[in-house]
Amino acid sequence: MAACAELNSECIEEFLSSFNTVLVDCDGVLWCGEDNIIEGSRDTLVKLRMLGKRVIYFSNNSTKSRSQYQQKLHRLGFEAELNEIICATSVCCQYIKDTLNIDENVYLVGSSGFIEELDRHGIKHFGSGEDPVEGNLTEWTNIEYRTDVKAVLVGFDAHFNYMKIMKAANYLRNPNCYFLTNGLDFEFPLFNNDRIVPAAGCFVLPIQAAAKRKPTILGKPNKLMFEAVKQIYPDVDATKCIIIGDRLDVDIEFGKRGGGDEGVVSKRRRLRGAVSEWERAVSKSWRP
Amino acid sequence: MAACAELNSECIEEFLSSFNTVLVDCDGVLWCGEDNIIEGSRDTLVKLRMLGKRVIYFSNNSTKSRSQYQQKLHRLGFEAELNEIICATSVCCQYIKDTLNIDENVYLVGSSGFIEELDRHGIKHFGSGEDPVEGNLTEWTNIEYRTDVKAVLVGFDAHFNYMKIMKAANYLRNPNCYFLTNGLDFEFPLFNNDRIVPAAGCFVLPIQAAAKRKPTILGKPNKLMFEAVKQIYPDVDATKCIIIGDRLDVDIEFGKRGGGDEGVVSKRRRLRGAVSEWERAVSKSWRP
């Protein structure tokens, strides 16, 4: 990765002309939590569009389907066509359907985002919702497991519990059962708040330990996400894209694997300031 | 570690005279699951006692207190005084009380074994039992956390769920709050059964990831366990002890840290055969 450089009036024109497409992460970059918009993020995207840049929303969040993302973007005042949204739930389900060709069931540790996309792709699934723990060790060794499970898919699931760790691990005893996840984020980005709200990566770890297998990560930094962009915009050129993200391990790594520029990545805690800087830099060069 | 050697008639006398105390792990060594006794284990201990060896039961299992262990040993036909039982729940609580001097609360991810020992040691605690998940991300960022929590203690808890990961991680934001666990077993040893029943180590991992902190492991291989033996039997000599266990990383490592012999450790899957061999070897040399 090139060293970070501040955008100033001397290099901003050159920088802006170096890309035509912006892949922008959402959680932690445009907003934090339910509806804490990060200052400047909306205006920045408006200005980028006015400069003729293509804006693509790009998220690993497993709680939302593409249409749920569009609703949230609209609710928070962001312009967004469905085609401008690439999200891990949709990309994962497309991969399960088209590449893995799964006709059998998927055991889902996940919530409405994955449920909606699995349904939309016609993939059979079960496991979502509550699964209360019952019994003792002897009874747990006698749980009936289905034999038609071809993948365990792990995303965010507020009902995550002991039963789900056990069931996922036991389905994964079958070496032909795929172990898939959208990503390994361990907490949600929050706004001016040092509380910890654990994310889906925390559910992958115990399943991985019990099953003694590692999952395939289908969201960023897997380049499947970039291939999904190419399917919608065949003319997109990775060398002409920048990525605005908040995680070095996920967003920058994705930038490298996609073959594009490493982009603008800000540490979340400093993001509010960083986006304001970024907006100021764009504003300076932007002459309507 | 010395290479493994089969005990034969030539070396058995020498081997038996090399120790006077046997530290024997329970789950996966004497029994698997609720009441599947491993063949030969009961007779072996009887014979060792008849040879004048001191037998100490020695477990990292976090589901049972010392007295619950004694009840189980008696139910399965093992001779056992309370003083012959060293278990992680009791050792952890003794450490919390005497060494950490905790007067504040312990947030417990655990069940009856820890509850009974915490109560017996007069340590205030909360968190056990069901903790149903409610609310959404915004509400989770506003959960009220107690300010009188000085330790998070993680053992086996069938009610483990998302709320417990979140609460444990948030109490651990306080750098003065201790993060403690009995051990990192990821599954219970089962008998003739390839099912996976996840154990307490699976609960430590997501809490560790969300809190970005590693726990202190107070059970084996921590030498606290051996110090607990010394408190009861001040004359015990580590170089005259052997350990019978089923985990190289826990039992052998413990043997090294305690300063004693590396002992007899068998891979669980081959344990039934191994214990029979061990019993046969002891029988050969045993002349009543």
Side-chain angles (χ1 to χ4, degrees):
Chain A
M1 186 178 120
C4 289
E6 197 180 340
L7 293 173
N8 57 36
S9 54
E10 277 141 55
C11 65
I12 188 75
E13 292 279 1
E14 187 189 335
F15 175 67
L16 284 169
S17 64
S18 71
F19 63 88
N20 61 23
T21 301
V22 179
L23 305 175
V24 60
D25 189 14
C26 300
D27 299 82
V29 175
L30 302 181
W31 60 72
C32 283
E34 298 289 338
D35 47 21
N36 298 302
I37 296 181
I38 291 174
E39 196 184 323
S41 64
R42 214 159 28 191
D43 292 346
T44 302
L45 296 189
V46 169
K47 286 169 189 165
L48 285 166
R49 282 184 198 273
M50 292 183 80
L51 286 167
K53 310 302 181 190
R54 179 157 51 197
V55 172
I56 297 172
Y57 302 98
F58 213 67
S59 175
N60 256 16
N61 185 315
S62 63
T63 67
K64 289 185 176 54
S65 66
R66 280 177 87 196
S67 67
Q68 288 170 331
Y69 249 112
Q70 190 182 30
Q71 288 161 29
K72 175 154 186 177
L73 284 157
H74 286 173
R75 181 166 62 79
L76 297 184
F78 291 92
E79 193 182 328
E81 300 297 319
L82 204 58
N83 266 349
E84 291 168 342
I85 301 166
I86 304 291
C87 68
T89 50
S90 144
V91 170
C92 287
C93 293
Q94 193 170 336
Y95 180 80
I96 290 169
K97 187 72 183 172
D98 298 344
T99 306
L100 302 182
N101 290 309
I102 290 182
D103 281 330
E104 298 95 332
N105 262 286
V106 169
Y107 177 68
L108 174 65
V109 176
S111 50
S112 70
F114 264 131
I115 293 169
E116 193 172 304
E117 289 292 350
L118 286 162
D119 288 342
R120 192 169 71 81
H121 287 80
I123 301 165
K124 288 178 279 185
H125 63 92
F126 70 102
S128 57
E130 293 187 20
D131 189 357
V133 68
E134 280 163 17
N136 58 28
L137 200 146
T138 302
E139 289 164 292
W140 298 331
T141 60
N142 292 312
I143 288 175
E144 283 289 329
Y145 289 101
R146 299 169 64 140
T147 55
D148 61 345
V149 176
K150 193 67 178 178
V152 168
L153 175 60
V154 181
F156 182 79
D157 183 347
H159 298 295
F160 182 76
N161 69 356
Y162 182 63
M163 274 294 144
K164 296 195 179 199
I165 302 172
M166 182 150 47
K167 289 184 180 174
N170 280 288
Y171 286 121
L172 291 169
R173 286 183 303 135
N174 173 2
N176 297 318
C177 180
Y178 297 101
F179 183 12
L180 310 171
T181 183
N182 57 298
L184 289 183
D185 273 37
F186 297 125
E187 57 174 319
F188 286 100
L190 301 181
F191 185 70
N192 283 347
N193 192 321
D194 63 353
R195 295 290 178 83
I196 296 165
V197 178
C202 291
F203 308 157
V204 173
L205 298 180
I207 295 171
Q208 176 176 313
K212 300 185 238 9
R213 285 178 59 177
K214 285 195 172 181
T216 303
I217 300 168
L218 297 175
K220 294 178 288 179
N222 192 313
K223 68 178 183 177
L224 269 181
M225 291 285 278
F226 193 74
E227 286 166 12
V229 180
K230 293 279 280 185
Q231 283 201 350
I232 298 173
Y233 304 104
D235 66 321
V236 78
D237 176 355
T239 66
K240 291 279 184 187
C241 291
I242 65 158
I243 297 160
I244 308 181
D246 65 342
R247 286 191 54 187
L248 288 169
D249 55 342
V250 171
D251 296 305
I252 282 287
E253 182 58 27
F254 169 76
K256 286 183 185 167
R257 292 192 197 178
D261 199 298
E262 285 106 356
V264 177
V265 175
S266 312
K267 295 292 281 182
R268 182 180 352 123
R269 302 284 177 203
R270 289 182 295 155
L271 197 82
R272 187 175 168 172
V275 170
S276 300
E277 285 299 317
W278 166 228
E279 188 203 3
R280 216 168 11 253
V282 174
S283 301
K284 276 185 204 166
S285 70
W286 178 64
R287 297 181 186 89
Chain B
M1 187 177 120
C4 289
E6 197 181 341
L7 295 172
N8 57 38
S9 53
E10 277 140 55
C11 65
I12 188 73
E13 293 278 1
E14 186 187 337
F15 174 68
L16 285 170
S17 63
S18 70
F19 63 89
N20 60 24
T21 302
V22 179
L23 305 175
V24 61
D25 188 17
C26 299
D27 299 82
V29 174
L30 301 181
W31 59 73
C32 284
E34 299 288 340
D35 45 24
N36 298 302
I37 296 181
I38 291 174
E39 196 184 323
S41 64
R42 215 160 26 194
D43 292 346
T44 302
L45 296 189
V46 170
K47 285 170 191 165
L48 284 166
R49 284 183 196 273
M50 294 181 80
L51 285 166
K53 310 301 178 190
R54 178 155 54 194
V55 172
I56 297 172
Y57 302 97
F58 213 66
S59 174
N60 256 14
N61 185 318
S62 63
T63 68
K64 289 184 176 56
S65 65
R66 280 177 88 196
S67 67
Q68 287 170 331
Y69 248 112
Q70 189 182 32
Q71 286 162 30
K72 175 154 184 175
L73 283 157
H74 286 173
R75 182 167 61 80
L76 297 184
F78 291 93
E79 191 182 330
E81 300 297 320
L82 204 58
N83 266 349
E84 291 169 341
I85 300 166
I86 304 290
C87 67
T89 51
S90 143
V91 171
C92 287
C93 294
Q94 193 170 336
Y95 179 79
I96 290 170
K97 187 72 184 169
D98 298 344
T99 305
L100 302 183
N101 290 309
I102 290 182
D103 281 328
E104 298 95 332
N105 261 285
V106 169
Y107 177 69
L108 173 65
V109 177
S111 48
S112 70
F114 265 129
I115 294 170
E116 194 172 305
E117 289 292 349
L118 285 163
D119 289 341
R120 192 168 72 80
H121 287 79
I123 302 166
K124 288 178 279 185
H125 62 92
F126 69 103
S128 58
E130 293 188 21
D131 189 357
V133 68
E134 280 164 16
N136 58 29
L137 200 144
T138 303
E139 290 164 293
W140 297 331
T141 60
N142 292 311
I143 287 174
E144 285 289 328
Y145 289 101
R146 300 169 63 140
T147 55
D148 62 343
V149 176
K150 193 71 179 175
V152 169
L153 174 61
V154 182
F156 182 78
D157 183 347
H159 297 295
F160 181 76
N161 69 355
Y162 182 63
M163 274 295 142
K164 297 196 179 198
I165 301 173
M166 182 150 47
K167 290 184 178 174
N170 280 289
Y171 285 120
L172 291 171
R173 285 183 304 136
N174 173 3
N176 297 318
C177 180
Y178 298 101
F179 183 13
L180 310 170
T181 183
N182 57 297
L184 289 182
D185 274 38
F186 296 125
E187 58 175 317
F188 285 100
L190 302 180
F191 186 69
N192 282 348
N193 191 321
D194 62 356
R195 295 289 177 85
I196 296 165
V197 178
C202 291
F203 307 157
V204 172
L205 298 180
I207 295 170
Q208 175 176 313
K212 300 184 239 3
R213 286 179 57 177
K214 285 194 173 182
T216 303
I217 300 167
L218 297 175
K220 294 178 286 180
N222 192 314
K223 67 178 184 175
L224 270 181
M225 292 285 279
F226 193 74
E227 285 165 13
V229 179
K230 292 279 281 185
Q231 283 202 350
I232 299 173
Y233 304 103
D235 67 320
V236 77
D237 175 354
T239 65
K240 291 278 186 188
C241 291
I242 65 159
I243 297 162
I244 308 181
D246 65 342
R247 287 191 53 186
L248 287 170
D249 54 343
V250 172
D251 296 306
I252 280 288
E253 182 58 27
F254 169 77
K256 286 183 185 169
R257 294 192 198 178
D261 199 298
E262 285 105 357
V264 176
V265 175
S266 312
K267 295 290 281 181
R268 181 179 354 124
R269 302 284 176 203
R270 289 181 295 155
L271 195 83
R272 186 176 169 172
V275 172
S276 300
E277 285 299 319
W278 166 228
E279 187 203 1
R280 212 162 22 245
V282 174
S283 301
K284 274 184 200 165
S285 70
W286 178 63
R287 297 180 188 89

